[in-house]
Amino acid sequence: MKKRVLPLVILCLSVLIAVGSQTFLSPCVHEDGSFGACHWAGQAMLGLGCLTAVMGLLLLFRPGSRSGLFIAAAAAGVLGTLIPGTLIALCSMSAMRCRAIMQPAMTLLCCLVILAAAAGLILEERKGGRKP
Amino acid sequence: MSAAGLPFKNLTRKPGRTWALVLLTAFLSLSLFAGSVVVMSLQSGLRSLEARLGADIIVVPAAAKTKTDFQNILLQGTTGAFYMDAGLLDQIAAAEGVEKAAPQTFLATLKADCCSSRLQVIGIDQQADFTVQPWIAQSSSRELGPLEVAVGSDISAGVGDTLRIYRQSCPVVARLSPTGTGLDTAVYCSMETMKTLLEAAEEMGVSHKVTSDNAEEVISAVYVKVAEGASVDQVATSLMSHPRWKVAVVQTRSMITDVSDGLAGVASAVKVLIGAVWALSFVILLVVFALLTNERKREFAVLRLIGASRRSLRRLILTETGLVCLLGGCLGIAVGAAVIFLFTALIESALGLPYLTPDGGKIALVAVLSLLGTALMGALASARTAWHLSRVDTGSILREGN
């Protein structure tokens, strides 16, 4: 059971990233239906959320390569903190939804993914160290 | 195992109990840290607003519907434009009791290239201005040239970038320091640039004409500094009551008082909330430690039996509490900092008040004080337990167990 806690946390955070990027944490909503660069940051976060969700599922249901998957999840988390604002530009005004809500929320969620993955990796390595 | 390592062992041996206490103390430090930073940010915002307004009276066209529209532009960064004949400037400057008068012209952009929102462009007379110019001077040593703009800190364009405003390319030559007000979301330019932008806007169908025969010279507001010895109220009344001007007058003092009242309300609510959280947490900590007294009687009786002094037992409890408070305090401050600093823009717009995050030194001081406050609360709550447990009657406690 203990082994499943951190993968479950990663899975839940990933779902939040993927679903949130399209709903309650979505980028700016344009009245005329057009969209700017921040829209693509939202799309990228959807993809990243799905990717880490798959990692979470693999960690839950596939016993092998746990350390590698934790490292990959942490790397995906780092990528997630960089996508909105650094790799993909957002709107220029800080009061805009993409910068006031999406970027900080995604940064927070991705940092939590990194922390969970790092904790999982440390536990995994400790367990590995105890093996004869 | 050494006696020094015992508190740590005790905490790791009961992870559930330890984490419950850590979370409770984290909640304490989170409320104190986050609440204090929000209140301090609001206070800095108010001071910044006072410093930035600089004028005693702001004269706007009556069409600006007086204070509300204009106040929203200044405080919340909403866009808006209203115009009056530029000829009024000389008449206002010549009015009795007026020491200085500086015009500003507003233009709300259409969707700029940068984002889906409209930008507020403010044209200033660089020779006469005494409100924005000193602020621009902090970031740029020279005057704004043709089509050059300075941007507020909430616009992410940097020096060297170009903003497209009404199809005009406007190079950014200065990025202004934050004020925590709506002024941070505006773009500033010279009156000459504003004239060009108004003409470009006119070509795109955005009219700024106040009368059909006056397409050239318009202004949106006149910032007035009242002469020393003159009454601000009297000057304001005389400006507003002029029969032909059709202007509204905003006294910056009353605007600041309004903001100050709003700030006092928010600050009181935050303080009550912090007080409630602390009172509740203190009671919970007292109850938890009282329960621990019973749970750990035998453990302490055994320690007494193997030679631990009463004083060392008290120290043991207080060290355990200190470790819990340290971990919980740091956790609470980290969570508080993450939320407060990541969501600054959201908090600012939700409060609708000037909000300027204090500098790093002040924040570090608040963090240290929050940590000390949490440790003090933990020590107070566990002091009674430490005293009781250090005085356990070893014989009777161990006999009870048999």
Side-chain angles (χ1 to χ4, degrees), chain A residues 33-90:
Chain A
S34 64
F35 43 76
C38 65
H39 167 80
W40 300 111
Q43 295 298 94
M45 291 312 293
L46 169 67
L48 187 113
C50 293
L51 182 71
T52 40
V54 171
M55 290 174 197
L57 285 172
L58 287 173
L59 280 163
L60 273 175
F61 300 113
R62 300 275 299 215
S65 311
R66 284 174 65 87
S67 294
L69 284 169
F70 277 127
I71 292 170
V78 173
L79 182 65
T81 60
L82 295 175
I83 286 176
T86 307
L87 294 176
I88 299 178
L90 300 178

CSV table of all heavy atoms in Angstrom, one decimal, chain A residues 33-90:
chain,number,residue,atom,x,y,z
A,33,GLY,N,-13.3,34.3,-30.0
A,33,GLY,CA,-13.0,32.9,-30.5
A,33,GLY,C,-11.6,32.7,-30.9
A,33,GLY,O,-11.1,31.6,-31.1
A,34,SER,N,-10.8,33.8,-31.1
A,34,SER,CA,-9.4,33.7,-31.4
A,34,SER,C,-8.6,33.4,-30.2
A,34,SER,O,-9.1,33.5,-29.1
A,34,SER,CB,-8.9,35.0,-32.1
A,34,SER,OG,-9.0,36.0,-31.1
A,35,PHE,N,-7.4,33.0,-30.4
A,35,PHE,CA,-6.5,32.7,-29.2
A,35,PHE,C,-5.1,33.1,-29.5
A,35,PHE,O,-4.6,33.2,-30.7
A,35,PHE,CB,-6.6,31.3,-28.8
A,35,PHE,CG,-6.5,30.3,-29.9
A,35,PHE,CD1,-5.3,30.0,-30.6
A,35,PHE,CD2,-7.7,29.6,-30.3
A,35,PHE,CE1,-5.3,29.1,-31.6
A,35,PHE,CE2,-7.6,28.7,-31.4
A,35,PHE,CZ,-6.5,28.4,-32.0
A,36,GLY,N,-4.4,33.4,-28.4
A,36,GLY,CA,-3.0,33.9,-28.5
A,36,GLY,C,-2.0,32.7,-28.1
A,36,GLY,O,-2.4,31.6,-28.0
A,37,ALA,N,-0.8,33.1,-27.9
A,37,ALA,CA,0.2,32.1,-27.6
A,37,ALA,C,-0.1,31.3,-26.3
A,37,ALA,O,0.2,30.1,-26.2
A,37,ALA,CB,1.6,32.8,-27.4
A,38,CYS,N,-0.8,32.0,-25.4
A,38,CYS,CA,-1.0,31.3,-24.1
A,38,CYS,C,-1.9,30.1,-24.3
A,38,CYS,O,-1.9,29.1,-23.5
A,38,CYS,CB,-1.6,32.3,-23.1
A,38,CYS,SG,-3.3,32.9,-23.5
A,39,HIS,N,-2.7,30.1,-25.3
A,39,HIS,CA,-3.6,28.9,-25.6
A,39,HIS,C,-2.7,27.7,-25.9
A,39,HIS,O,-3.0,26.6,-25.4
A,39,HIS,CB,-4.4,29.2,-26.9
A,39,HIS,CG,-5.0,28.0,-27.5
A,39,HIS,ND1,-6.2,27.5,-27.0
A,39,HIS,CD2,-4.7,27.2,-28.5
A,39,HIS,CE1,-6.5,26.4,-27.7
A,39,HIS,NE2,-5.6,26.2,-28.6
A,40,TRP,N,-1.6,27.9,-26.6
A,40,TRP,CA,-0.7,26.7,-26.9
A,40,TRP,C,0.1,26.3,-25.6
A,40,TRP,O,0.4,25.1,-25.5
A,40,TRP,CB,0.3,27.1,-28.0
A,40,TRP,CG,-0.4,27.5,-29.2
A,40,TRP,CD1,-0.5,28.7,-29.8
A,40,TRP,CD2,-1.3,26.6,-30.0
A,40,TRP,NE1,-1.3,28.7,-30.9
A,40,TRP,CE2,-1.8,27.4,-31.1
A,40,TRP,CE3,-1.6,25.3,-29.9
A,40,TRP,CZ2,-2.7,26.9,-32.0
A,40,TRP,CZ3,-2.5,24.8,-30.9
A,40,TRP,CH2,-3.0,25.6,-31.9
A,41,ALA,N,0.3,27.2,-24.7
A,41,ALA,CA,0.9,26.8,-23.4
A,41,ALA,C,-0.1,25.8,-22.7
A,41,ALA,O,0.3,24.8,-22.1
A,41,ALA,CB,1.2,28.0,-22.5
A,42,GLY,N,-1.4,26.2,-22.8
A,42,GLY,CA,-2.4,25.3,-22.2
A,42,GLY,C,-2.5,23.9,-22.8
A,42,GLY,O,-2.6,22.9,-22.2
A,43,GLN,N,-2.4,23.9,-24.2
A,43,GLN,CA,-2.4,22.7,-24.9
A,43,GLN,C,-1.2,21.8,-24.5
A,43,GLN,O,-1.3,20.6,-24.3
A,43,GLN,CB,-2.4,22.9,-26.4
A,43,GLN,CG,-3.6,23.6,-26.9
A,43,GLN,CD,-4.9,22.8,-26.7
A,43,GLN,OE1,-5.5,23.0,-25.7
A,43,GLN,NE2,-5.2,21.9,-27.6
A,44,ALA,N,0.0,22.5,-24.4
A,44,ALA,CA,1.2,21.7,-24.0
A,44,ALA,C,1.1,21.1,-22.6
A,44,ALA,O,1.5,20.0,-22.4
A,44,ALA,CB,2.4,22.7,-24.1
A,45,MET,N,0.4,21.9,-21.7
A,45,MET,CA,0.2,21.4,-20.4
A,45,MET,C,-0.7,20.2,-20.4
A,45,MET,O,-0.6,19.3,-19.5
A,45,MET,CB,-0.3,22.5,-19.4
A,45,MET,CG,0.7,23.6,-19.1
A,45,MET,SD,2.4,23.0,-18.7
A,45,MET,CE,2.1,22.3,-17.1
A,46,LEU,N,-1.7,20.2,-21.3
A,46,LEU,CA,-2.6,19.1,-21.4
A,46,LEU,C,-1.8,17.8,-21.8
A,46,LEU,O,-1.9,16.8,-21.2
A,46,LEU,CB,-3.7,19.4,-22.5
A,46,LEU,CG,-4.5,18.2,-22.9
A,46,LEU,CD1,-5.4,17.7,-21.8
A,46,LEU,CD2,-5.4,18.5,-24.1
A,47,GLY,N,-0.9,18.0,-22.8
A,47,GLY,CA,-0.1,16.9,-23.2
A,47,GLY,C,0.9,16.4,-22.1
A,47,GLY,O,1.0,15.2,-21.8
A,48,LEU,N,1.5,17.3,-21.4
A,48,LEU,CA,2.4,17.0,-20.3
A,48,LEU,C,1.6,16.3,-19.2
A,48,LEU,O,2.1,15.3,-18.6
A,48,LEU,CB,3.1,18.3,-19.8
A,48,LEU,CG,4.2,18.0,-18.8
A,48,LEU,CD1,5.5,18.3,-19.4
A,48,LEU,CD2,4.0,18.7,-17.5
A,49,GLY,N,0.4,16.8,-18.9
A,49,GLY,CA,-0.4,16.1,-17.8
A,49,GLY,C,-0.7,14.7,-18.2
A,49,GLY,O,-0.6,13.8,-17.3
A,50,CYS,N,-1.1,14.5,-19.4
A,50,CYS,CA,-1.4,13.1,-19.9
A,50,CYS,C,-0.1,12.2,-19.8
A,50,CYS,O,-0.2,11.1,-19.3
A,50,CYS,CB,-1.9,13.1,-21.3
A,50,CYS,SG,-3.5,13.9,-21.5
A,51,LEU,N,1.0,12.8,-20.2
A,51,LEU,CA,2.3,12.0,-20.1
A,51,LEU,C,2.6,11.6,-18.7
A,51,LEU,O,2.9,10.4,-18.4
A,51,LEU,CB,3.4,12.9,-20.7
A,51,LEU,CG,4.7,12.2,-20.8
A,51,LEU,CD1,4.8,11.1,-21.9
A,51,LEU,CD2,5.8,13.2,-21.1
A,52,THR,N,2.5,12.5,-17.8
A,52,THR,CA,2.8,12.2,-16.4
A,52,THR,C,1.8,11.2,-15.8
A,52,THR,O,2.1,10.4,-14.9
A,52,THR,CB,3.0,13.4,-15.5
A,52,THR,OG1,2.0,14.4,-15.9
A,52,THR,CG2,4.4,14.0,-15.6
A,53,ALA,N,0.5,11.4,-16.3
A,53,ALA,CA,-0.5,10.5,-15.8
A,53,ALA,C,-0.2,9.0,-16.2
A,53,ALA,O,-0.3,8.1,-15.4
A,53,ALA,CB,-1.9,10.9,-16.4
A,54,VAL,N,0.3,8.9,-17.4
A,54,VAL,CA,0.8,7.5,-17.9
A,54,VAL,C,1.9,7.0,-17.0
A,54,VAL,O,1.9,5.8,-16.6
A,54,VAL,CB,1.2,7.6,-19.4
A,54,VAL,CG1,1.8,6.2,-19.8
A,54,VAL,CG2,0.0,7.9,-20.2
A,55,MET,N,2.8,7.9,-16.6
A,55,MET,CA,3.9,7.5,-15.7
A,55,MET,C,3.4,7.1,-14.4
A,55,MET,O,3.8,6.1,-13.8
A,55,MET,CB,4.9,8.7,-15.5
A,55,MET,CG,5.7,9.0,-16.8
A,55,MET,SD,6.7,10.5,-16.4
A,55,MET,CE,7.2,10.9,-18.1
A,56,GLY,N,2.4,7.8,-13.9
A,56,GLY,CA,1.8,7.5,-12.6
A,56,GLY,C,1.1,6.1,-12.7
A,56,GLY,O,1.2,5.3,-11.8
A,57,LEU,N,0.4,5.9,-13.8
A,57,LEU,CA,-0.3,4.6,-14.0
A,57,LEU,C,0.8,3.4,-14.0
A,57,LEU,O,0.6,2.4,-13.4
A,57,LEU,CB,-1.1,4.6,-15.3
A,57,LEU,CG,-2.4,5.4,-15.2
A,57,LEU,CD1,-3.1,5.5,-16.6
A,57,LEU,CD2,-3.4,4.7,-14.2
A,58,LEU,N,1.9,3.7,-14.8
A,58,LEU,CA,2.9,2.6,-14.9
A,58,LEU,C,3.5,2.4,-13.5
A,58,LEU,O,3.8,1.2,-13.1
A,58,LEU,CB,4.0,3.1,-15.9
A,58,LEU,CG,3.6,3.0,-17.3
A,58,LEU,CD1,4.7,3.6,-18.2
A,58,LEU,CD2,3.4,1.6,-17.8
A,59,LEU,N,3.7,3.4,-12.7
A,59,LEU,CA,4.3,3.3,-11.4
A,59,LEU,C,3.3,2.5,-10.5
A,59,LEU,O,3.7,1.7,-9.6
A,59,LEU,CB,4.5,4.6,-10.7
A,59,LEU,CG,5.8,5.4,-11.2
A,59,LEU,CD1,5.7,6.8,-10.8
A,59,LEU,CD2,7.0,4.7,-10.6
A,60,LEU,N,2.0,2.7,-10.7
A,60,LEU,CA,1.0,2.0,-9.9
A,60,LEU,C,0.9,0.5,-10.3
A,60,LEU,O,0.8,-0.4,-9.4
A,60,LEU,CB,-0.3,2.6,-10.1
A,60,LEU,CG,-0.7,3.8,-9.2
A,60,LEU,CD1,-2.0,4.4,-9.6
A,60,LEU,CD2,-0.8,3.4,-7.7
A,61,PHE,N,0.9,0.2,-11.6
A,61,PHE,CA,0.5,-1.1,-12.0
A,61,PHE,C,1.6,-1.9,-12.6
A,61,PHE,O,1.5,-3.1,-12.9
A,61,PHE,CB,-0.7,-1.0,-13.0
A,61,PHE,CG,-1.9,-0.4,-12.4
A,61,PHE,CD1,-2.3,0.8,-12.8
A,61,PHE,CD2,-2.5,-1.0,-11.3
A,61,PHE,CE1,-3.4,1.4,-12.2
A,61,PHE,CE2,-3.6,-0.4,-10.7
A,61,PHE,CZ,-4.1,0.8,-11.1
A,62,ARG,N,2.8,-1.3,-12.9
A,62,ARG,CA,3.9,-2.1,-13.5
A,62,ARG,C,5.1,-2.0,-12.5
A,62,ARG,O,5.6,-1.0,-12.2
A,62,ARG,CB,4.4,-1.5,-14.8
A,62,ARG,CG,3.3,-1.5,-15.9
A,62,ARG,CD,3.2,-2.8,-16.6
A,62,ARG,NE,4.5,-3.1,-17.3
A,62,ARG,CZ,4.5,-3.7,-18.5
A,62,ARG,NH1,3.4,-4.0,-19.1
A,62,ARG,NH2,5.7,-4.0,-19.0
A,63,PRO,N,5.5,-3.2,-12.0
A,63,PRO,CA,6.5,-3.1,-10.9
A,63,PRO,C,7.9,-2.7,-11.3
A,63,PRO,O,8.6,-2.2,-10.5
A,63,PRO,CB,6.5,-4.6,-10.4
A,63,PRO,CG,5.9,-5.4,-11.5
A,63,PRO,CD,5.0,-4.5,-12.3
A,64,GLY,N,8.2,-2.9,-12.5
A,64,GLY,CA,9.6,-2.6,-13.0
A,64,GLY,C,9.9,-1.1,-13.2
A,64,GLY,O,9.0,-0.3,-13.4
A,65,SER,N,11.2,-0.8,-13.3
A,65,SER,CA,11.7,0.5,-13.7
A,65,SER,C,11.1,1.7,-12.9
A,65,SER,O,10.9,2.8,-13.4
A,65,SER,CB,11.4,0.8,-15.2
A,65,SER,OG,11.8,-0.3,-15.9
A,66,ARG,N,10.9,1.4,-11.6
A,66,ARG,CA,10.2,2.5,-10.8
A,66,ARG,C,11.1,3.7,-10.7
A,66,ARG,O,10.7,4.9,-10.8
A,66,ARG,CB,9.9,2.0,-9.4
A,66,ARG,CG,8.6,1.1,-9.4
A,66,ARG,CD,8.4,0.5,-8.0
A,66,ARG,NE,8.1,1.5,-7.0
A,66,ARG,CZ,6.9,1.9,-6.8
A,66,ARG,NH1,5.8,1.5,-7.5
A,66,ARG,NH2,6.6,2.8,-5.8
A,67,SER,N,12.5,3.5,-10.4
A,67,SER,CA,13.4,4.6,-10.3
A,67,SER,C,13.4,5.5,-11.6
A,67,SER,O,13.3,6.7,-11.5
A,67,SER,CB,14.8,4.1,-10.0
A,67,SER,OG,14.8,3.5,-8.8
A,68,GLY,N,13.4,4.8,-12.7
A,68,GLY,CA,13.5,5.5,-14.0
A,68,GLY,C,12.2,6.3,-14.2
A,68,GLY,O,12.2,7.4,-14.7
A,69,LEU,N,11.1,5.7,-13.8
A,69,LEU,CA,9.8,6.4,-14.0
A,69,LEU,C,9.7,7.6,-13.1
A,69,LEU,O,9.2,8.7,-13.5
A,69,LEU,CB,8.6,5.5,-13.7
A,69,LEU,CG,8.3,4.5,-14.9
A,69,LEU,CD1,7.3,3.4,-14.4
A,69,LEU,CD2,7.8,5.2,-16.1
A,70,PHE,N,10.2,7.5,-11.8
A,70,PHE,CA,10.2,8.6,-10.9
A,70,PHE,C,11.1,9.8,-11.5
A,70,PHE,O,10.7,10.9,-11.4
A,70,PHE,CB,10.7,8.2,-9.5
A,70,PHE,CG,9.7,7.6,-8.7
A,70,PHE,CD1,9.8,6.4,-8.1
A,70,PHE,CD2,8.5,8.3,-8.4
A,70,PHE,CE1,8.9,5.8,-7.3
A,70,PHE,CE2,7.5,7.7,-7.6
A,70,PHE,CZ,7.7,6.5,-7.0
A,71,ILE,N,12.3,9.4,-12.0
A,71,ILE,CA,13.2,10.4,-12.6
A,71,ILE,C,12.5,11.1,-13.8
A,71,ILE,O,12.5,12.3,-13.9
A,71,ILE,CB,14.5,9.8,-13.1
A,71,ILE,CG1,15.3,9.3,-11.9
A,71,ILE,CG2,15.3,10.8,-13.9
A,71,ILE,CD1,16.5,8.5,-12.2
A,72,ALA,N,11.8,10.3,-14.7
A,72,ALA,CA,11.1,10.9,-15.8
A,72,ALA,C,10.0,11.8,-15.4
A,72,ALA,O,9.8,12.9,-15.9
A,72,ALA,CB,10.5,9.7,-16.7
A,73,ALA,N,9.3,11.4,-14.3
A,73,ALA,CA,8.2,12.2,-13.8
A,73,ALA,C,8.7,13.6,-13.3
A,73,ALA,O,8.1,14.6,-13.5
A,73,ALA,CB,7.4,11.5,-12.7
A,74,ALA,N,9.9,13.5,-12.5
A,74,ALA,CA,10.5,14.7,-12.0
A,74,ALA,C,10.9,15.6,-13.2
A,74,ALA,O,10.7,16.8,-13.1
A,74,ALA,CB,11.7,14.4,-11.2
A,75,ALA,N,11.5,15.0,-14.2
A,75,ALA,CA,11.9,15.8,-15.4
A,75,ALA,C,10.7,16.4,-16.1
A,75,ALA,O,10.8,17.6,-16.5
A,75,ALA,CB,12.7,14.9,-16.4
A,76,ALA,N,9.6,15.7,-16.2
A,76,ALA,CA,8.4,16.2,-16.8
A,76,ALA,C,7.9,17.4,-15.9
A,76,ALA,O,7.4,18.4,-16.5
A,76,ALA,CB,7.3,15.1,-16.9
A,77,GLY,N,8.0,17.3,-14.6
A,77,GLY,CA,7.6,18.3,-13.7
A,77,GLY,C,8.4,19.6,-14.0
A,77,GLY,O,7.9,20.7,-14.0
A,78,VAL,N,9.7,19.4,-14.1
A,78,VAL,CA,10.6,20.6,-14.4
A,78,VAL,C,10.2,21.2,-15.7
A,78,VAL,O,10.0,22.5,-15.9
A,78,VAL,CB,12.1,20.2,-14.5
A,78,VAL,CG1,13.0,21.3,-15.0
A,78,VAL,CG2,12.6,19.7,-13.1
A,79,LEU,N,9.9,20.4,-16.7
A,79,LEU,CA,9.5,20.9,-18.0
A,79,LEU,C,8.2,21.7,-17.9
A,79,LEU,O,8.0,22.7,-18.5
A,79,LEU,CB,9.3,19.7,-19.0
A,79,LEU,CG,8.9,20.1,-20.4
A,79,LEU,CD1,9.9,20.8,-21.1
A,79,LEU,CD2,8.5,18.8,-21.2
A,80,GLY,N,7.3,21.1,-17.0
A,80,GLY,CA,6.0,21.8,-16.8
A,80,GLY,C,6.1,23.2,-16.2
A,80,GLY,O,5.3,24.0,-16.5
A,81,THR,N,7.1,23.3,-15.3
A,81,THR,CA,7.3,24.7,-14.7
A,81,THR,C,7.8,25.7,-15.8
A,81,THR,O,7.6,26.9,-15.6
A,81,THR,CB,8.3,24.7,-13.6
A,81,THR,OG1,9.5,24.2,-14.0
A,81,THR,CG2,7.8,23.8,-12.4
A,82,LEU,N,8.5,25.1,-16.8
A,82,LEU,CA,9.1,26.0,-17.8
A,82,LEU,C,8.1,26.3,-19.0
A,82,LEU,O,8.3,27.4,-19.7
A,82,LEU,CB,10.4,25.4,-18.4
A,82,LEU,CG,11.5,25.2,-17.4
A,82,LEU,CD1,12.7,24.4,-18.0
A,82,LEU,CD2,12.0,26.5,-16.9
A,83,ILE,N,7.2,25.5,-19.2
A,83,ILE,CA,6.3,25.7,-20.4
A,83,ILE,C,5.6,27.0,-20.4
A,83,ILE,O,5.8,27.8,-21.3
A,83,ILE,CB,5.4,24.5,-20.7
A,83,ILE,CG1,6.2,23.3,-21.2
A,83,ILE,CG2,4.2,24.8,-21.6
A,83,ILE,CD1,5.3,22.0,-21.3
A,84,PRO,N,4.8,27.2,-19.4
A,84,PRO,CA,4.0,28.5,-19.4
A,84,PRO,C,4.9,29.7,-19.0
A,84,PRO,O,5.4,29.8,-17.9
A,84,PRO,CB,2.9,28.4,-18.4
A,84,PRO,CG,3.2,27.2,-17.6
A,84,PRO,CD,4.4,26.5,-18.2
A,85,GLY,N,5.2,30.5,-20.0
A,85,GLY,CA,6.0,31.8,-19.6
A,85,GLY,C,7.4,31.7,-20.1
A,85,GLY,O,7.9,32.7,-20.6
A,86,THR,N,8.1,30.6,-20.1
A,86,THR,CA,9.5,30.5,-20.5
A,86,THR,C,9.6,29.9,-21.9
A,86,THR,O,10.2,30.5,-22.8
A,86,THR,CB,10.3,29.7,-19.5
A,86,THR,OG1,10.1,30.2,-18.2
A,86,THR,CG2,11.8,29.7,-19.8
A,87,LEU,N,9.1,28.7,-22.1
A,87,LEU,CA,9.2,28.0,-23.4
A,87,LEU,C,8.1,28.5,-24.3
A,87,LEU,O,8.3,28.6,-25.5
A,87,LEU,CB,9.1,26.5,-23.2
A,87,LEU,CG,10.3,25.9,-22.5
A,87,LEU,CD1,10.0,24.4,-22.3
A,87,LEU,CD2,11.6,26.1,-23.2
A,88,ILE,N,6.9,28.8,-23.8
A,88,ILE,CA,5.9,29.3,-24.6
A,88,ILE,C,5.4,30.6,-23.9
A,88,ILE,O,5.1,30.7,-22.8
A,88,ILE,CB,4.7,28.3,-24.7
A,88,ILE,CG1,5.1,27.0,-25.3
A,88,ILE,CG2,3.5,29.0,-25.5
A,88,ILE,CD1,4.1,25.9,-25.5
A,89,ALA,N,5.4,31.7,-24.7
A,89,ALA,CA,5.1,33.0,-24.2
A,89,ALA,C,3.6,33.1,-23.8
A,89,ALA,O,2.7,32.4,-24.3
A,89,ALA,CB,5.4,34.1,-25.2
A,90,LEU,N,3.4,33.9,-22.7
A,90,LEU,CA,2.0,34.1,-22.3
A,90,LEU,C,1.7,35.6,-22.6
A,90,LEU,O,2.5,36.3,-23.1
A,90,LEU,CB,1.9,33.9,-20.8
A,90,LEU,CG,2.3,32.5,-20.3
A,90,LEU,CD1,2.2,32.4,-18.8
A,90,LEU,CD2,1.4,31.4,-21.0
